[in-house]
Amino acid sequence: MEYFEQIEHALEFIEQNLKNEITAPDVAGAAAYSYSHFHRVFETAVGETVGGYIRSRRLSKAAEELLYTDKRIIDIALSFRFESHEAFGRAFKKLYRVTPMQYRINRTDTIIGRKSALSYDALLHRQRVSLQSEIVMVPDMHLVGTRFPVSIEENSSIEMWPLFNNRIHEIRNRVLNSARYCIYEAHGKCDYDSLDAQAATTAFIGVAVTLHDSIPDGMVLKKFRGGKYAHFIHTGTTASLLYTYQYIWGSWIPYNKIELAERDDIECFTERFKGAVDETSETDIYIPIE
């Protein structure tokens, strides 16, 4: 993993110089690589070009300054090396789908479009997972389980799973070899320009059933509405799920110009899920799209 350490040096160099004039060869030099070799290594490890990563990080930091400082937009633009207000506006709107002024007025530190600085752990994680999506149709389902409040910042599903698992035997008419689902329910909070870490919603954990005439006390029936979804496979612990979501929110959705649909997000745990702390566990993630 020696080259990972060199990539980490390159990422640190980028973070320290987001407001300075730097080029891809400068970053390669910080990693002690020749540029001809480095750009291939970087793109393999990070999933995008050096220039693309620098631009995304500058836009993400600029978005923070729009929300948390009173600096003029032109001053923010120039400080992050955009040659003009217009150039900054075009690049910003392409990523966030709103203008810098609209972003400031909305006062929402959005998750979609945000490019978090990559850590060493995140780099390792990207080598273990499939970050390519498959577009699939998920069918309607009836599920029985438990509903509870969550936000991205305060996700209590980890604590809820043992409680549910202890009672799963009470659910009658379960689908044979049924997967277990954690569904984050849509409540008008999944807009591109309004989804942030504090956005409150409800989560549902449960299993699919063939009949639903008997619901255990304290549980509820969910009528799940299917549709078109982008399917990702997360490999690793549940604690590292956030790294996969950061890729989906920060890279895959904006750069593929995906339109999100106002339907539930899904995590599906099949026999390929070996346990919450097993590095070989696979979790299916489904993101609703138009």
Side-chain angles (χ1 to χ4, degrees):
M1 293 298 187
E2 179 182 351
Y3 81 93
F4 269 24
E5 294 178 1
Q6 300 306 105
I7 294 295
E8 187 179 28
H9 292 324
L11 294 172
E12 290 173 354
F13 177 79
I14 291 171
E15 289 302 305
Q16 293 166 3
N17 289 279
L18 289 175
K19 291 189 174 183
N20 298 324
E21 186 64 48
I22 54 173
T23 65
D26 294 331
V27 180
Y33 272 108
S34 66
Y35 176 66
S36 61
H37 178 59
F38 175 76
H39 78 90
R40 292 191 297 271
V41 172
F42 187 94
E43 191 166 355
T44 298
V46 175
E48 59 186 301
T49 65
V50 179
Y53 181 82
I54 293 172
R55 191 176 187 83
S56 297
R57 284 296 298 141
R58 283 175 170 165
L59 286 168
S60 291
K61 296 299 287 186
E64 289 181 14
E65 293 200 1
L66 286 170
L67 293 183
Y68 302 116
T69 76
D70 294 325
K71 295 177 183 178
R72 297 187 306 161
I73 293 177
I74 182 59
D75 293 334
I76 294 173
L78 295 177
S79 70
F80 283 104
R81 315 306 297 184
F82 290 91
E83 61 269 22
S84 67
H85 187 290
E86 291 74 20
F88 174 62
R90 287 193 300 271
F92 192 92
K93 188 172 184 179
K94 183 178 180 181
L95 182 62
Y96 287 95
R97 304 193 187 184
V98 295
T99 67
M101 179 58 74
Q102 289 169 327
Y103 192 88
R104 173 169 270 176
I105 291 171
N106 287 347
R107 305 305 302 171
T108 301
D109 191 358
T110 62
I111 285 175
I112 298 175
R114 180 194 298 170
K115 172 69 72 177
S116 300
L118 283 177
S119 65
Y120 185 81
D121 287 342
L123 281 174
L124 288 175
H125 175 70
R126 287 198 174 192
Q127 310 314 301
R128 294 197 301 265
V129 300
S130 170
L131 297 181
Q132 300 300 313
S133 68
E134 175 188 16
I135 306 304
V136 300
M137 295 299 296
V138 176
D140 295 347
M141 293 183 286
H142 286 89
L143 304 106
V144 173
T146 303
R147 179 176 286 116
F148 50 95
V150 295
S151 68
I152 292 171
E153 189 172 63
E154 297 183 9
N155 189 340
S156 57
S157 61
I158 293 177
E159 290 79 15
M160 296 300 294
W161 272 112
L163 301 177
F164 173 76
N165 288 333
N166 287 337
R167 298 191 62 199
I168 193 172
H169 65 278
E170 299 177 31
I171 301 175
R172 298 172 57 187
N173 304 308
R174 298 196 302 273
V175 173
L176 186 64
N177 298 321
S178 175
R180 304 185 187 197
Y181 295 89
C182 182
I183 298 176
Y184 298 97
E185 298 178 311
H187 293 294
K189 299 289 188 180
C190 63
D191 292 342
Y192 201 96
D193 58 353
S194 65
L195 181 63
D196 67 353
Q198 290 77 43
T201 186
T202 52
F204 174 94
I205 55 177
V207 292
V209 295
T210 55
L211 295 173
H212 46 83
D213 55 351
S214 177
I215 310 298
D217 290 343
M219 293 190 187
V220 295
L221 172 70
K222 177 175 177 62
K223 297 179 180 180
F224 171 79
R225 179 167 63 95
K228 184 188 292 186
Y229 279 79
H231 171 221
F232 299 84
I233 298 175
H234 164 85
T235 303
T237 67
T238 54
S240 65
L241 268 168
L242 183 59
Y243 294 139
T244 297
Y245 279 112
Q246 285 176 344
Y247 166 78
I248 295 170
W249 294 325
S251 297
W252 189 84
I253 291 174
Y255 290 105
N256 286 281
K257 298 182 173 61
I258 293 299
E259 291 295 332
L260 298 177
E262 192 173 323
R263 298 193 308 275
D264 301 339
D265 290 14
I266 312 167
E267 291 172 4
C268 179
F269 303 89
T270 68
E271 72 284 351
R272 293 181 286 107
F273 182 75
K274 307 301 183 183
V277 297
D278 192 318
E279 294 284 359
T280 67
S281 282
E282 292 186 359
T283 304
D284 295 292
I285 297 174
Y286 296 87
I287 304 295
I289 60 175
E290 295 290 358

